[in-house]
Amino acid sequence: MNISEIDFGAELAAMNEKFKANSESITLPERPPWLEDDDELSLLYIEFPKLIRRGGVFWASIIQANTMLFKRPDDFLHTKTDGSYVNRVRQINSAAFTKPLFAKPTGASVATLIYNHKRPKTADSDPLILRTFAHYLFECKSKPTEEIPPWLLKAVEVVKAEFDRSQVIIKAGEKDDFLMNVTMQSIIVFREHLPKGVLKNLIVPIIAAPQKTKSAVILPYKYWTKKFTAYWNKSRAE
């Protein structure tokens, strides 16, 4: 499936219809054992009924995620148990920006993403714009402060921080020659919501309710369209 064959506007509309028709059947996976009560991400378990009732589907692009989400769950089942696996998990988590991930075929970890909270027409039909901007935000982590536009400084500060869950509204400055008005936030990524339990593409459909809840979650893949799922399965996150 070539990306040029996808009408992202039509795919999003179809997923919104599926979501609205099945919203009452959508449930949250079990709360991750690493999720503490004072972690802002735990708000998802409080806001979820409102998120489902008042939310819709939006295109989003992941900026960064725990590296283990990009590995197949099967990899965990074939790892030696002589202690090398434990050391490997520690090494990965020391380099990641999230709390330790429990090693199970199904599980959850954290990702930071951006999405268009006001649904501008261009971003609705072309999430590739979001992906390009998300990549730029990630690259800003290694840039000196003076090279980062002032209107992006807060967002970059949050991206750099290991446990900062702040939601940031990113708006381009008045003097910039393009429009940018997106929400950046951290979410829990549940493997159960991804085809084959692995993160294969940085573009994801999420359930969000701007101005109604602070939480968002990836739309479970059983409600994705066949065309987007085929594209996802042939993807390689980059």
Side-chain angles (χ1 to χ4, degrees):
M1 173 65 65
N2 191 294
I3 196 168
S4 63
E5 300 175 41
I6 299 179
D7 181 339
F8 282 104
E11 297 301 298
L12 185 66
M15 283 190 272
N16 254 303
E17 288 184 11
K18 284 189 172 187
F19 165 66
K20 294 297 183 183
N22 297 280
S23 59
E24 293 184 1
S25 302
I26 299 176
T27 58
L28 279 179
E30 184 179 349
R31 182 185 175 108
W34 51 258
L35 184 61
E36 299 177 1
D37 291 339
D38 60 352
D39 190 325
E40 290 184 27
L41 292 176
S42 66
L43 192 60
L44 173 63
Y45 285 84
I46 298 172
E47 293 186 329
F48 188 70
K50 182 184 288 187
L51 178 64
I52 290 297
R53 187 173 67 253
R54 305 293 297 275
V57 182
F58 294 75
W59 286 126
S61 182
I62 292 173
I63 300 170
Q64 61 184 5
N66 188 299
T67 54
M68 293 186 75
L69 286 172
F70 296 97
K71 299 183 181 297
R72 297 181 306 169
D74 288 351
D75 292 344
F76 304 146
L77 299 178
H78 299 97
T79 307
K80 294 180 180 180
T81 57
D82 59 1
S84 59
Y85 174 72
V86 174
N87 291 331
R88 179 165 167 263
V89 170
R90 287 173 180 167
Q91 289 170 1
I92 290 174
N93 282 315
S94 66
F97 70 97
T98 186
K99 296 181 181 180
L101 170 70
F102 62 110
K104 291 184 178 180
T106 57
S109 193
V110 182
T112 302
L113 53 72
I114 53 173
Y115 75 98
N116 292 87
H117 56 273
K118 291 192 175 181
R119 291 185 180 277
K121 186 177 294 185
T122 54
D124 244 7
S125 59
D126 189 4
L128 298 179
I129 295 173
L130 286 176
R131 188 174 69 178
T132 299
F133 185 56
H135 181 69
Y136 174 69
L137 278 173
F138 184 80
E139 287 186 328
C140 281
K141 291 176 64 175
S142 58
K143 291 180 180 289
T145 301
E146 58 269 20
E147 292 184 13
I148 301 172
W151 55 276
L152 274 183
L153 287 175
K154 175 60 178 176
V156 174
E157 179 183 320
V158 173
V159 171
K160 286 181 177 180
E162 188 174 1
F163 298 118
D164 193 336
R165 315 298 198 198
S166 299
Q167 186 182 75
V168 181
I169 305 298
I170 303 174
K171 293 184 179 181
E174 294 180 0
K175 296 181 180 180
D176 290 287
D177 58 358
F178 60 92
L179 296 176
M180 183 57 65
N181 194 357
V182 300
T183 296
M184 185 185 83
Q185 67 182 77
S186 294
I187 68 166
I188 303 173
V189 177
F190 299 97
R191 286 188 179 274
E192 294 96 322
H193 289 171
L194 302 174
K196 301 179 182 178
V198 64
L199 200 56
K200 296 191 66 175
N201 199 301
L202 300 183
I203 297 174
V204 290
I206 64 168
I207 303 169
Q211 287 80 53
K212 302 294 190 303
T213 69
K214 291 184 178 181
S215 303
V217 68
I218 291 177
L219 177 71
Y221 74 91
K222 67 182 293 184
Y223 306 112
W224 295 7
T225 60
K226 290 182 179 179
K227 184 171 286 189
F228 181 71
T229 302
Y231 163 65
W232 172 280
N233 286 332
K234 291 184 178 181
S235 298
R236 183 175 181 179
E238 56 185 7

